Amino acid sequence: EPADTDEFLVSDAGVLKRMDYSYIKGGGITVADQWRLTTSFTGAIDPLASNLEQVDGTAQGTLGSAMSVSSGIWTFPSTGFWWVFAQGRVTRTGEELRYNHLGIKATTDNSTYTAIALGTSGMHSDSASNNTYMATSTLLDVTNTTNVKIKFYTAVESSSASWYGSSTENNTFFTFIRLGDT
């Protein structure tokens, strides 16, 4: 592949002009990465910081550079417009839960986090084990990978509600897709 500074000659109505490859190279999605919760936990947590793995199952993979996470703080591998998607699965036996929340908080100064997206669900009570799913997503303009970061958090009505994790299938999981340049 040519370097971004390599030049090409193009004809503009008969006038030859030089143009850097960076202006004409293909766009499209350059990063797609997915992570999941591997072990279930109960209650609320902010940030969700442990038992996370990059998805590695059959026919699953990562396109481009991977996200990184440390103590629940997610760092983007490059600037650009990013779509961030989160899905959570909550289980509970025998009691009603009016709310379960899965949210995304962001910072632009690597310090102060603000809630920017929230997925909510509830479940009715019965004697069997109940499951509910919630999802949320956001678009982020990552102008600086040092300062723009995110974290995921959960909230539940009852501390006995369990967030389901698995190392073989996506139940509570996170998807990061770089859509284009900022």
Side-chain angles (χ1 to χ4, degrees), residues 22-100:
S22 64
Y23 292 107
I24 60 174
K25 67 181 178 180
I29 293 174
T30 57
V31 179
D33 195 13
Q34 197 168 61
W35 292 67
R36 65 178 158 223
L37 179 69
T38 60
T39 305
S40 299
F41 69 91
T42 57
I45 193 165
D46 182 4
L48 201 158
S50 60
N51 300 315
L52 299 166
E53 74 170 3
Q54 195 173 28
V55 171
D56 59 357
T58 303
Q60 295 172 312
T62 298
L63 170 66
S65 300
M67 293 290 295
S68 60
V69 60
S70 177
S71 301
I73 307 302
W74 293 84
T75 301
F76 294 87
S78 60
T79 60
F81 282 96
W82 287 79
W83 179 60
V84 178
F85 175 84
Q87 176 179 301
R89 176 182 173 194
V90 176
T91 61
R92 175 86 191 267
T93 302
E95 290 185 37
E96 179 176 272
L97 290 176
R98 290 184 300 243
Y99 70 86
N100 308 287

Side-chain angles (χ1 to χ4, degrees), residues 19 22 43 47 78-80 86 89 95 107 121 127 147 149:
M19 183 177 295
S22 64
S78 60
T79 60
R89 176 182 173 194
E95 290 185 37
T107 181
S121 71
S127 59
N147 291 326
K149 299 183 181 200

Side-chain angles (χ1 to χ4, degrees), residues 14-26:
V15 177
L16 289 178
K17 296 181 178 181
R18 294 184 319 190
M19 183 177 295
D20 284 359
Y21 178 65
S22 64
Y23 292 107
I24 60 174
K25 67 181 178 180

